[in-house]
């Protein structure tokens, strides 16, 4: 009887050991997945909007759900905005396959044709949005000011929106590629 209990105990411990090994393999595989970054306490849901791209197609922020979005309020006439464009081009080239999208909300910059000429000249490779009928970009600007509790008084103003649609960072004024990358990297 003692031998039976002894062998039964060994069988139980051996089988428990194998299930532990299987569990640790699962943990190892799970740890290779993308780490979810904690959202800042002051993060707020980004207001959805509808604007037109330069071809007249209607685009919503919700179209980019599941992506990390740099939402940039800018103008073709704005010197600091122009300085950021090469950095945005580089960021899209490097990180679009990792889930980054950049959306430029173009303010008071003329017709879609004028904005397109400027875009072609600068080599812009990300989405540019403009008004549908005349004042929608100003409305979106006000919505983002209200959502964050601080009016957008100057451009460029840029927001990082995480994959779940929350504003996790706001910049007033131009920033470099390195600064943007440092701040978007945890969300990619």
């Amino acid at each position: 009887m003692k031998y039976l209990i002894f062998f039964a105990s060994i069988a139980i411990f051996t089988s428990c050991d194998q299930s532990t090994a299987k569990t640790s393999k699962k943990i190892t595989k799970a740890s290779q997945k993308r780490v979810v970054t904690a959202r800042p306490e002051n993060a707020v849901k980004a207001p959805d909007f509808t604007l037109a791209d330069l071809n007249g197609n209607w685009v919503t922020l919700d179209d980019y759900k599941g992506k990390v979005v740099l939402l940039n309020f800018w103008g073709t006439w704005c010197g600091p905005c122009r300085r950021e464009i090469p950095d945005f081009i580089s960021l899209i080239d490097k990180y679009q396959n990792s889930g980054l999208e950049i959306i430029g909300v173009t303010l008071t910059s003329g017709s879609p044709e004028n904005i397109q000429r400027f875009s072609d000249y600068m080599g812009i490779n990300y989405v540019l949005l403009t008004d549908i009928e005349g004042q929608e970009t100003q409305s979106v600007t006000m919505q983002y000011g209200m959502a964050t509790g601080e009016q957008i008084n100057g451009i460029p103003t840029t927001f990082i929106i995480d994959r779940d649609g929350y504003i996790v960072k706001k910049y007033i004024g131009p920033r470099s590629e390195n600064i943007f990358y440092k701040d978007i990297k945890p969300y990619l």
Side-chain angles (χ1 to χ4, degrees), residues 149-182:
E150 189 178 328
Q151 285 184 322
I152 297 175
N153 291 322
I155 57 173
T157 296
T158 306
F159 298 91
I160 296 176
I161 301 171
D162 72 7
R163 293 177 186 269
D164 295 320
Y166 283 84
I167 298 170
V168 295
K169 185 84 174 172
K170 177 182 178 181
Y171 308 92
I172 301 170
R175 298 295 187 277
S176 69
E177 176 183 351
N178 291 335
I179 290 171
F180 283 126
Y181 178 67
K182 177 183 70 68

Side-chain angles (χ1 to χ4, degrees), residues 65-103:
K65 192 172 187 173
K67 303 283 187 178
V68 177
V69 175
L70 273 179
L71 182 66
N72 177 248
F73 291 85
W74 76 292
T76 59
W77 45 268
C78 165
C81 301
R82 289 175 177 223
R83 284 199 317 264
E84 286 185 319
I85 292 171
D87 292 326
F88 288 151
I89 291 169
S90 180
L91 285 165
I92 276 294
D93 284 343
K94 292 177 183 175
Y95 305 111
Q96 189 169 34
N97 289 338
S98 298
L100 174 66
E101 292 291 343
I102 298 176
I103 301 172

Side-chain angles (χ1 to χ4, degrees), residues 7 37 40-42 51-52 56 63-64 83 93 95 113 129 152:
F7 287 118
T37 301
E41 286 183 27
N42 63 343
L51 293 172
D63 293 339
Y64 295 91
R83 284 199 317 264
D93 284 343
Y95 305 111
E113 295 79 22
L129 302 179
I152 297 175

Side-chain angles (χ1 to χ4, degrees), residues 36-68:
V36 177
T37 301
R39 186 176 294 127
E41 286 183 27
N42 63 343
V44 295
K45 194 74 170 166
D48 195 16
F49 57 80
T50 302
L51 293 172
D53 68 14
L54 299 183
N55 295 316
N57 302 308
W58 290 15
V59 176
T60 68
L61 179 62
D62 198 46
D63 293 339
Y64 295 91
K65 192 172 187 173
K67 303 283 187 178
V68 177

